[in-house]
Amino acid sequence: MKSQLEKIGRPTLDFLKKVGAAFTMFFQALRWTFTPPIYFRNILQQMEVIGVQSIPVVLITALSTGMVLALQSHTGFKRFHAENLVGTVVALSLTRELGPVLTGLIVAGRAGAAMAAELGTMRVTEQIDALSTLAVNPVKYLIIPRLIAGFIMLPILTIFADMIGIIGGYFVSVETLSANPVIYLRRTTEFLEGNDIFGGLLKACVFGILISIICSYKGFTTEGGAVGVGKATTGAVVLSMILIIVSDYFLTNLLFK
């Protein structure tokens, strides 16, 4: 019984310890965010890596999700003659949940992995130590630009995901399932409120901060050469995805209850 508890307890404590250390780094970075020098060039570079380079994957995923959601909703609602509500379901599901969550998971898998691998390589090749030797604050130079870029770009990507997902749902409903386009558009906008859209964008801001700080922390604390970089990258992506899904429940409870 004791060994079973140890098997469960040790990984749980390690997980909580890593999350706590990452958030300690976050508050440290937050304290230095608005004190000069501010590395605008680094911020723009990270906005391109996190945001611009993620657009194709986000759009393809959102389009497919909107189309599948419309198809599944139509199949279910047809049983009790409520097909006209498909547009409402697609719009609310994307803006409140699927848009921000899927965007967060995609960015964690693509940009978050690259972030952890880059910083991990810099750590094991002693480039981060070299920055300290040159009197450059590595947290301010490396972590804060990624934090700001994640905070700004995740909501922008989510807006694109919401729009293209709703367009995908419209295409399937009107062109494939022969829904009335006027009724579909009216149902899409009739029950969609500003709180639905802005609540989803607020979630995206939180996910952007989580991805940036977790992946930066894992890369920043990498040990063990090339093998350590691989482990840090995998751990960063897994931890980011877990925190996105867990925090989504609490954010939904807070914003939409």
Side-chain angles (χ1 to χ4, degrees):
M1 183 67 182
K2 184 180 177 181
S3 61
Q4 292 297 325
L5 289 174
E6 285 179 349
K7 286 180 182 177
I8 299 171
R10 282 182 179 172
T12 304
L13 288 175
D14 288 342
F15 174 79
L16 293 175
K17 185 179 176 183
K18 289 173 184 173
V19 172
F23 276 94
T24 301
M25 177 181 279
F26 167 68
F27 288 115
Q28 188 182 37
L30 204 59
R31 187 162 55 90
W32 290 332
T33 298
F34 300 106
T35 56
I38 297 174
Y39 299 99
F40 288 106
R41 185 184 179 85
N42 289 6
I43 294 171
L44 291 175
Q45 285 177 343
Q46 292 305 318
M47 287 173 71
E48 181 186 0
V49 172
I50 295 173
V52 177
Q53 294 180 10
S54 299
I55 286 177
V57 187
V58 169
L59 293 186
I60 291 170
T61 305
L63 181 66
S64 303
T65 303
M67 294 169 73
V68 170
L69 192 57
L71 199 58
Q72 290 284 20
S73 300
H74 183 271
T75 304
F77 289 163
K78 192 176 180 180
R79 296 175 183 175
F80 42 90
H81 309 291
E83 298 95 319
N84 290 338
L85 292 175
V86 171
T88 304
V89 170
V90 171
L92 289 179
S93 300
L94 282 165
T95 53
R96 284 184 168 209
E97 287 296 329
L98 296 176
V101 171
L102 288 177
T103 302
L105 294 176
I106 291 166
V107 171
R110 204 201 66 78
M115 202 182 296
E118 183 184 5
L119 291 176
T121 303
M122 291 182 71
R123 170 60 74 188
V124 299
T125 55
E126 300 182 350
Q127 294 179 57
I128 294 177
D129 297 329
L131 286 174
S132 301
T133 306
L134 295 170
V136 176
N137 185 331
V139 172
K140 198 166 177 50
Y141 187 78
L142 297 171
I143 307 298
I144 291 176
R146 288 168 170 79
L147 191 61
I148 294 173
F151 178 77
I152 294 173
M153 294 312 295
L154 260 290
I156 294 175
L157 288 171
T158 300
I159 291 172
F160 284 120
D162 291 346
M163 291 172 60
I164 201 71
I166 290 172
I167 291 172
Y170 173 87
F171 177 78
V172 168
S173 298
V174 174
E175 300 297 333
T176 307
L177 303 174
S178 302
N180 185 307
V182 176
I183 294 176
Y184 186 90
L185 290 175
R186 192 172 67 195
R187 292 292 186 185
T188 298
T189 56
E190 193 172 19
F191 298 102
L192 189 63
E193 299 176 354
N195 182 51
D196 302 319
I197 299 170
F198 291 113
L201 297 182
L202 185 58
K203 282 185 177 182
C205 292
V206 175
F207 297 158
I209 291 172
L210 285 174
I211 294 166
S212 301
I213 203 66
I214 294 296
C215 295
S216 296
Y217 167 76
K218 294 292 285 184
F220 205 76
T221 57
T222 297
E223 295 177 343
V227 176
V229 174
K231 289 180 179 177
T233 303
T234 305
V237 174
V238 171
L239 190 57
S240 299
M241 289 183 172
I242 290 173
L243 288 180
I244 286 172
I245 292 170
V246 172
S247 64
D248 180 56
Y249 168 76
F250 293 102
L251 289 169
T252 300
N253 196 37
L254 181 68
L255 295 169
F256 301 121
K257 189 173 180 181

